[in-house]
Amino acid sequence: MPTDRGITRRGVLAVAALAVGGLSTARAAPSARSQLSANSARFAGAFVNWGETGREPVLQAWETWLNRPRSSVLGVDFYGQSSWDDFHKLDWVPGLWKKLNPARNLVWSVPLTMSGTPLADVAGGLHDAEFETAARAIAGAHPKAIIRLGWEMNISNSAWFAKGHEDDYIKAFRRVVRIFRRHSGSFKFDWCPGWGAQDMPADAAYPGDDMVDFIGLDVYDFKSDGSAAERWTNSCLKAPFGLEWQRTFAAKHGKLMSYPEWGVGQSGDNAYFVQQMHDWFAANQAAIAYAAYFDVDGLWPTQIDNGQFRESASLFRKLFAG
């Protein structure tokens, strides 16, 4: 899913120090009992909106909403999505995260190419300078970051859609991982298709166990025929390249699973989906590295902490609170 736009320096650095202070959102005591372990914070990460001074203060509000300590969850962000120039122009964003909260670790989603640039060009090294800039900026702020590189490569509207170019995708992915590793040996790399059959078999673009730490999957409650239970079973759980496929594929390759994006909204307020995602996390928690909710309205509304999905939000807080 695309991110929000409009990131600028305007007013950010001047007031950054103010954002480190606490936010006033009230904490609520959840009544339901989660089945997640004591280390449940790893399932409560989020991609949040860009606030007046950046995403960190908004993520702090998310933690408060979930009754969780400061800096306890992973943040998610997207690096340089619009043009190759963004790789240079936005190299200050990781540093802003660090300035606002040095204790925060992030999942950085990094494009593998730009629209109009074939994957073969990246595989051939024609854009090494851009990836060097990104790697340097992220390593300086988050040397233990998770790098979600070239995500959703199995979806046709992606600039790095791999169908018909699987070898170039794999070569480009491997080249960029090597660049990032030169800047930090503590980076982890997340290979993350979109859930379901989509527009190509995701595993045809798998870049190799030596270049991947986590097998990710982005999962949304997408509108389709049938009940909420039928959608869950047919579109998420048992679909080709769905959750059960991910679990089998990750185990075969000796990797942990991850969920860098998930959310309700495309089919409306659906607490059943929230419950099922929680139950999947709980049943497989020993094999899952992290999960992050997509708390931003993108192609469709998904934000859950703003009152638009009351039933889903109420259950989410009960199941994912600290």
Side-chain angles (χ1 to χ4, degrees):
M1 181 179 286
T3 68
D4 53 342
R5 303 298 187 191
I7 298 175
T8 70
R9 283 181 181 266
R10 181 171 54 87
V12 170
L13 297 179
V15 294
L18 297 177
V20 181
L23 296 170
S24 59
T25 305
R27 294 176 181 242
S31 58
R33 188 171 185 176
S34 173
Q35 300 174 42
L36 298 174
S37 67
N39 189 23
S40 62
R42 75 182 191 271
F43 301 102
F47 172 58
V48 298
N49 285 299
W50 185 269
E52 291 183 1
T53 60
R55 299 193 203 279
E56 171 61 30
V58 184
L59 191 59
Q60 290 176 17
W62 171 264
E63 288 172 320
T64 301
W65 188 66
L66 291 177
N67 198 34
R68 289 193 173 276
R70 181 75 53 83
S71 311
S72 61
V73 307
L74 276 170
V76 176
D77 211 340
F78 292 73
Y79 191 97
Q81 288 194 95
S82 299
S83 70
W84 288 113
D85 286 344
D86 282 352
F87 277 66
H88 303 286
K89 292 178 179 177
L90 298 178
D91 63 346
W92 56 274
V93 176
L96 175 63
W97 274 100
K98 183 178 180 180
K99 182 179 181 67
L100 293 171
N101 186 357
R104 179 79 64 196
N105 199 22
L106 261 71
V107 179
W108 278 102
S109 300
V110 178
L112 194 54
T113 190
M114 292 291 156
S115 180
T117 301
L119 284 162
D121 285 3
V122 176
L126 298 185
H127 291 279
D128 283 1
E130 285 81 4
F131 290 107
E132 291 280 359
T133 298
R136 187 181 305 110
I138 295 172
H142 308 113
K144 295 183 179 181
I146 297 166
I147 308 300
R148 185 172 67 138
L149 179 62
W151 69 99
E152 297 182 359
M153 76 304 296
N154 57 333
I155 298 178
S156 60
N157 64 3
S158 170
W160 46 90
F161 180 45
K163 186 175 182 179
H165 308 280
E166 291 87 351
D167 288 347
D168 289 335
Y169 177 92
I170 290 168
K171 290 175 183 176
F173 192 106
R174 295 177 65 85
R175 185 179 190 95
V176 174
V177 167
R178 292 189 184 101
I179 290 173
F180 270 75
R181 283 177 173 165
R182 289 201 293 268
H183 291 272
S184 174
S186 297
F187 284 145
K188 299 292 185 183
F189 296 90
D190 194 324
W191 178 76
C192 179
W195 87 107
Q198 300 295 350
D199 302 309
M200 65 165 285
D203 55 359
Y206 184 63
D209 290 347
D210 58 330
M211 297 289 159
V212 172
D213 296 287
F214 306 138
I215 305 296
L217 204 65
D218 291 344
V219 185
Y220 290 93
D221 180 32
F222 207 76
K223 187 181 297 183
S224 62
D225 293 336
S227 67
E230 289 170 334
R231 286 202 308 275
W232 170 258
T233 299
N234 298 331
S235 299
C236 298
L237 187 63
K238 296 186 177 297
F241 302 98
L243 289 166
E244 290 186 346
W245 166 82
Q246 180 201 22
R247 181 171 60 187
T248 299
F249 188 82
K252 176 182 177 181
H253 290 269
K255 307 298 180 183
L256 293 176
M257 296 181 286
S258 71
Y259 301 89
E261 296 182 29
W262 74 276
V264 298
Q266 216 274 346
S267 61
D269 189 358
N270 183 9
Y272 181 84
F273 180 80
V274 174
Q275 182 71 60
Q276 294 307 306
M277 286 297 289
H278 163 270
D279 292 353
W280 176 263
F281 295 159
N284 297 282
Q285 56 192 307
I288 297 174
Y290 72 93
Y293 188 87
F294 198 89
D295 198 49
V296 169
D297 291 343
L299 287 175
W300 57 85
T302 52
Q303 188 171 352
I304 202 170
D305 61 350
N306 62 354
Q308 65 180 333
F309 303 120
R310 295 185 180 278
E311 292 185 8
S312 297
S314 176
L315 183 61
F316 189 98
R317 294 182 78 187
K318 293 173 182 177
L319 297 177
F320 292 97

